[in-house]
Amino acid sequence: MPTNTALAHLRRAAAAISSPCRPHSAIVSSSWSIFAASTLRSIGSLKFTAHDSRSFSTTCPRQTKTIKPHRLPSDLIPPYPYGERRIYKQSNRGLYGNARIRFGNNVAEKHNNKSRRFWRPNVHVKAFFSPALGARIKTRLTLRVLKTIRREGSIDEYLLKSKPARIRELGPGGWNLRWLIMQTQDIQHRMNKERLALGLEPKKVENRDDMIHFALDIATPGPLSSRSRALMEGGRSAMVDAFVLGNDDLAGVEGVEELSDEAEQELLQAEDLRHAGHPTLSTARSEV
């Protein structure tokens, strides 16, 4: 678009042209010609650009959902092989890794007096986009698990690792997400490639989009879609009372503010600095 200086030249030229007065002396005529020439040069150097903020497209944007893992239907998913955690039950509803509440003592330096205390895990709420599901997964997780997900590249890669230590770390909530991701056709093709590399027979790829859509619709806040209601009427009406995993109140996940990317970077940097400067706390003696 024209700059402010060029617009000023245009206004001055238009005012001079429309003025009824005409210069009569030679000096005024010479200055008038110099002004007109400079104005024409300014007009010729203008560059007009169109404001094209975005290109027009008739394709609808891809719809995404923000699902809550603890809302996934438990009777569709095989039971977690390690069972629910009976200590620190809150970890059953998120990705807590092996974090627990730790108990110990505060030890006074002077008289060696002890007072009981506890340490809570560093828990935050974060939403990740799952390429396999095409949905955003919003869950509670510890800072250590968040760093592991960033190192793996995506939440799908974190959930699909098959080592026993990773399966035990997932907990019931992560196990439900892992099973749901494994039902997609892309992951089924990926598993067949791994089976062929190991010399095993590939399995038949099944279309389970209806079941995935049904589970995602239940795990998403709000009313069910017509597709999910039709599926429920076809024989799954008994699942209405079995959508929540566990017996604790899970409403706190919706009320907690989601961790932003900037706050995540600050937390990770502070955690690295804390471990680098204080590898152990000499004033605390923890008892697991």
Side-chain angles (χ1 to χ4, degrees), residues 6 9-10 13-14 17 36-48:
H9 283 300
L10 283 175
I17 294 172
S38 62
T39 303
L40 291 176
R41 284 196 301 269
S42 301
I43 295 174
S45 63
L46 293 179
K47 294 181 179 180
F48 295 91

Side-chain angles (χ1 to χ4, degrees), residues 242-262:
F243 292 158
V244 178
L245 180 64
N247 299 322
D248 296 335
D249 186 14
L250 308 180
V253 176
E254 288 82 1
V256 180
E257 184 179 357
E258 181 183 342
L259 184 66
S260 62
D261 294 338
E262 293 79 6

Side-chain angles (χ1 to χ4, degrees), residues 158-183:
Y158 172 78
L159 296 172
L160 291 175
K161 288 296 179 68
S162 57
K163 291 184 177 181
R166 178 59 57 84
I167 300 298
R168 185 181 292 273
E169 179 182 332
L170 292 180
W175 172 261
N176 293 348
L177 286 174
R178 170 188 168 86
W179 181 86
L180 189 62
I181 291 175
M182 292 179 66
Q183 308 311 308

Side-chain angles (χ1 to χ4, degrees), residues 27 31 35 39 52 78 122 124 141 190 201 252 273-275:
I27 299 176
S31 62
F35 168 73
T39 303
D52 188 9
N122 193 0
H124 302 276
L141 76 169
R190 173 178 167 179
E201 289 291 334
L273 290 176
R274 188 177 70 87
H275 283 289

Side-chain angles (χ1 to χ4, degrees), residues 20-57:
C21 300
R22 294 291 184 271
H24 299 288
S25 63
I27 299 176
V28 176
S29 178
S30 176
S31 62
W32 170 261
S33 61
I34 294 173
F35 168 73
S38 62
T39 303
L40 291 176
R41 284 196 301 269
S42 301
I43 295 174
S45 63
L46 293 179
K47 294 181 179 180
F48 295 91
T49 57
H51 283 286
D52 188 9
S53 59
R54 60 180 181 179
S55 59
F56 178 76
S57 175

Side-chain angles (χ1 to χ4, degrees), residues 95-99 120-126 128 139-151 158 169 259-275:
L95 301 176
Y96 283 59
N98 297 319
R120 295 184 183 275
N122 193 0
V123 180
H124 302 276
V125 175
K126 185 70 177 177
F128 302 93
T139 180
R140 286 181 176 178
L141 76 169
T142 60
L143 193 59
R144 184 179 297 274
V145 174
L146 177 60
K147 294 172 68 175
T148 307
I149 293 176
R150 295 306 185 191
R151 185 173 64 250
Y158 172 78
E169 179 182 332
L259 184 66
S260 62
D261 294 338
E262 293 79 6
E264 175 189 339
Q265 292 296 330
E266 294 178 0
L267 285 172
L268 294 177
Q269 292 176 2
E271 184 75 7
D272 294 339
L273 290 176
R274 188 177 70 87
H275 283 289

